[in-house]
Amino acid sequence: MSRALTSLEVLPVDGRPTEPDGFREFVEARSSALLRSGWLLTGDWPSAEDLVQTALAAAWPRWTSLTRQDAPELYVRKIMVNTFLRWRRRRWTGEIATARLPEMQAYGDAFAQVDARQALITALDRLPPRQRAVVVLRYFADQTEAQTAAAMGCSVGAVKAHASKALARLRDAPGLAELMTGGVAS
Amino acid sequence: MNTEERQLAEMLHRVTPEPPRRVTVEDVAYRLASEPQREPRSRRGSIWKHRGWTPLLAALSVFAIAGVSAGIATVATSRHGTQTPNDGTPPATAPASGSPSPPAPAQSPPPSWETLRVAGGMWDAKLINRLSFSQGSLTGGGNSLYAVGDGSLVRIDPASGAVLRTTPYSAPVIGRPVVAGNTVWVVWSYGGGGIVLRGYDASTLAQVASVPVSATGGVSSQAQGVLAAGPDGKLYVAAGDTVATVDPASRQVTRRIQLTAGQASSVAVSPDGSKLYVAAGSFQLLVYDLATGTQTLSSSMPASGGSLLATAGGVWGTTGTGMSEWVWFAPGGNLTRSFRVSQGAGSGLASLPSYGGGVVWIGGSHELVCASPATGRAMARTPIPADHSVVEYFDSVTVLSSGHTYALYQDDRARLAGVASLTPPRACSG
């Protein structure tokens, strides 16, 4: 198991971290997909960015070893999911950084798109965090059941159970059935 | 995957939007570089040990008296409580509304605060003092900062962060002071059939003017940002179903524009003085030609709107409430062409747009944005970090004539607040 680097190791002479080989290419290629996963998990872009940056910052010091194992994206997604689950475990009663913007009947935005996104996020909000994470990893990030189980630190059986329960809930979510059977393009 | 699972996967890919911006390596590098250097929590909260009972009780008494005289509701909506300077100076007591003899402004000897880096050094944010003010209340004039908090209007030295002058004042409606020439104008009372504006000397904060303005038809219950200054120094105030123009020299109402769409809740004047923007009802945006007094445009939005800010390209405002508040820009004052500027402005008053240094600033708890006053497009934005998942706020960004940029900062978790100096990126140079 790799150890976390100290700030002195990450921050060399000029205070700027040394960029590992291949990291920039990965970020440029995958940041959009990771952000979209983050949006599905959190429901808003600032939190999604926070999630992705957190995961990438965690991956940075381990990048060489992750690329040797050919698994940097798996690791980044694992950190994203665990960070998301940790955020959701917190019992804090004040304002939270995941404000849901009221998607006004946006001028210049297609009404149907806005409705579809709201219906989707509302439905995902109703899922327990682990079921939501399974939906995102399995059906959006196209991870196998085994990869999803590894990312979430649970068994394949648990992933199947979460997926089944999530599907049952989503089936009853208002407006989602129409979206799943053909709805509005983004 | 079965059919239902495939449909779900297909729908997720179809409906999930593209992100408005990508995460870059620089974002990650910045985060990695800044996080280890964040101040230890114990230190961030250490200011509270300086708090004594005397200033706290004194502040509470100010709260009570000001609440009676100016309406407690407004004070209660403020998320901040002014921390009385720990200099032994008792806070001034607010007089009854309409008191003919203004009290002498108080002057505080400058306390010495250690500059404290905050928010992970975002835009090189540093606290220049540890005083807490009402969100959205910071403004600048010349080389001074002005802010409002618990029963006081204060003048702040941007170099030291010290409060140079204070005078009793409790804001009856949301809105920042308006600096016009050598006078700082505030709405002293706002309700029923009457409005009173007060002017204070920008240097001494001694009261120099008190202007009563009648409000026909009663004032709006959604009033927010009711006072604005034109480029000629004239003041415009939302006064019931009219907008009154006040000449600061004669201290008289010199003109009234009658509205056709209910009571005015917010006003703004274009930088060239040609247009008056008025928010009315819930919610119409009216545009008037100030030369003729005629209405030239009216558009509406199916939401509340307020805190207008006019720039060369159009008008800015807020809609929504609390954490859901966000900022829009309407080119030419036309809401049908409006678009959202800030992604999740968050935090109500913290997201009120402000103008300074040639650009528009939008704070909040999610991100700090500088935007073009001509097009409304964001020129730079940076996420505002959270303190262990508890949001931090930057609001009412103000640029002084010296070119230095300041904002109010608040970290509820660390119980830390103050005026922060900022060094925005070059893209924010108007």
Side-chain angles (χ1 to χ4, degrees):
Chain A
M1 187 176 165
S2 59
R3 70 183 175 89
L5 298 185
T6 67
S7 60
L8 282 177
E9 289 169 301
V10 177
L11 303 172
V13 188
D14 61 355
R16 183 186 162 85
T18 309
E19 187 180 318
D21 286 343
F23 188 75
R24 181 171 295 271
E25 290 74 15
F26 174 82
V27 172
E28 285 172 357
R30 301 304 299 157
S31 106
S32 177
L34 293 172
L35 280 167
R36 292 175 82 205
S37 291
W39 183 82
L40 285 169
L41 286 170
T42 64
D44 69 278
W45 289 118
S47 300
E49 279 189 27
D50 204 15
L51 205 54
V52 173
Q53 286 186 18
T54 300
L56 290 172
W60 182 309
R62 300 169 179 80
W63 193 253
T64 308
S65 112
L66 289 173
T67 47
R68 266 202 302 268
Q69 297 162 29
D70 202 22
E73 183 156 347
L74 274 179
Y75 180 82
V76 169
R77 288 194 182 277
K78 181 175 182 174
I79 297 289
M80 281 177 65
V81 165
N82 288 332
T83 304
F84 161 71
L85 293 173
R86 196 169 62 246
W87 285 355
R88 293 294 295 264
R89 270 199 300 273
R90 287 219 168 84
R91 293 281 185 269
W92 180 63
T93 54
E95 291 177 309
I96 55 173
T98 54
R100 183 77 14 84
L101 292 180
E103 286 283 5
M104 158 189 182
Q105 295 169 359
Y107 303 109
D109 211 354
F111 291 101
Q113 272 180 31
V114 172
D115 289 345
R117 289 169 197 169
Q118 275 198 323
L120 172 58
I121 288 300
T122 304
L124 291 175
D125 277 347
R126 290 179 180 162
L127 298 180
R130 295 186 78 79
Q131 288 181 22
R132 185 173 188 158
V134 166
V135 167
V136 174
L137 287 173
R138 245 335 247 129
Y139 304 118
F140 181 75
D142 300 321
Q143 306 282 289
T144 65
E145 287 171 340
Q147 286 170 329
T148 305
M152 294 184 58
C154 64
S155 67
V156 170
V159 168
K160 286 179 178 174
H162 284 315
S164 170
K165 288 175 185 167
L167 274 168
R169 284 181 184 239
L170 293 176
R171 210 174 289 138
D172 296 333
L176 215 63
E178 294 78 14
L179 281 177
M180 285 171 64
T181 52
V184 186
S186 60
Chain B
M1 280 192 199
N2 61 31
T3 305
E4 188 179 31
E5 288 175 312
R6 275 197 301 275
Q7 284 176 339
L8 174 61
E10 189 277 329
M11 183 270 290
L12 288 173
H13 284 97
R14 178 162 40 85
V15 174
T16 305
E18 285 297 320
R21 67 179 285 273
R22 303 286 175 92
V23 169
T24 64
V25 173
E26 284 68 32
D27 292 333
V28 183
Y30 180 82
R31 189 183 186 107
L32 211 52
S34 60
E35 285 197 335
Q37 296 168 23
R38 289 180 72 146
E39 297 294 334
R41 300 300 172 200
S42 57
R43 188 175 170 196
R44 293 175 111 191
S46 65
I47 54 148
W48 302 95
K49 73 184 179 189
H50 299 304
R51 282 191 150 182
W53 280 104
T54 305
L56 180 61
L57 291 172
L60 285 172
S61 69
V62 171
F63 182 96
I65 295 167
V68 171
S69 64
I72 203 162
T74 303
V75 180
T77 58
S78 167
R79 301 189 67 263
H80 293 205
T82 300
Q83 184 184 335
T84 308
N86 187 23
D87 55 11
T89 307
T93 304
S97 183
S99 170
S101 55
Q107 183 168 16
S108 312
S112 56
W113 282 293
E114 183 191 347
T115 302
L116 178 63
R117 195 162 174 262
V118 290
M122 186 199 84
W123 284 5
D124 200 23
K126 296 188 188 83
L127 282 190
I128 63 167
N129 65 27
R130 315 287 167 81
L131 304 175
S132 178
F133 298 103
S134 302
Q135 283 186 332
S137 76
L138 185 72
T139 192
N143 271 322
S144 289
L145 294 165
Y146 303 90
V148 176
D150 268 1
S152 293
L153 167 68
V154 304
R155 178 179 159 229
I156 301 164
D157 175 11
S160 67
V163 171
L164 300 176
R165 297 279 173 171
T166 69
T167 193
Y169 172 64
S170 288
V173 288
I174 293 164
R176 56 177 59 96
V178 172
V179 183
N182 290 323
T183 307
V184 183
W185 289 92
V186 297
V187 179
W188 177 260
S189 66
Y190 198 84
I195 299 165
V196 176
L197 307 181
R198 280 199 175 174
Y200 298 91
D201 181 274
S203 175
T204 64
L205 288 192
Q207 186 188 321
V208 295
S210 180
V211 182
V213 179
S214 62
T216 59
V219 297
S220 169
S221 59
Q222 297 169 20
Q224 192 171 321
V226 297
L227 179 65
D232 55 359
K234 286 184 178 162
L235 302 172
Y236 296 81
V237 58
D241 54 16
T242 69
V243 173
T245 306
V246 173
D247 178 2
S250 66
R251 292 161 196 176
Q252 298 288 323
V253 174
T254 55
R255 184 186 188 188
R256 275 186 190 272
I257 291 177
Q258 182 73 41
L259 309 182
T260 55
Q263 296 152 324
S265 56
S266 183
V267 293
V269 182
S270 63
D272 63 1
S274 66
K275 288 178 185 166
L276 172 70
Y277 300 99
V278 185
S282 62
F283 148 70
Q284 275 190 283
L285 181 61
L286 312 173
V287 185
Y288 288 88
D289 179 339
L290 271 176
T292 63
T294 55
Q295 182 184 310
T296 57
L297 190 63
S298 168
S299 53
S300 63
M301 183 185 279
S304 63
S307 292
L308 300 185
L309 172 73
T311 59
V315 66
W316 309 64
T318 59
T319 194
T321 54
M323 284 296 284
S324 296
E325 191 149 277
W326 51 274
V327 175
W328 45 260
F329 174 68
N334 188 346
L335 283 175
T336 61
R337 293 168 57 206
S338 68
F339 54 88
R340 186 182 305 181
V341 180
S342 176
Q343 269 275 349
S347 168
L349 302 182
S351 59
L352 303 185
S354 59
Y355 178 82
V359 297
V360 173
W361 305 87
I362 302 162
S365 54
H366 289 329
E367 60 178 358
L368 196 50
V369 177
C370 71
S372 162
T375 65
R377 299 292 173 191
M379 301 192 296
R381 59 175 83 228
T382 184
I384 297 172
D387 184 351
H388 293 80
S389 294
V390 180
V391 292
E392 300 176 46
Y393 303 88
F394 281 98
D395 75 87
S396 48
V397 178
T398 300
V399 182
L400 295 181
S401 53
S402 61
H404 291 113
T405 307
Y406 301 87
L408 293 180
Y409 170 78
Q410 181 181 341
D411 178 346
D412 286 344
R413 187 177 187 278
R415 303 175 72 200
L416 181 61
V419 177
S421 69
L422 297 172
T423 307
R426 208 170 297 161
C428 294
S429 303

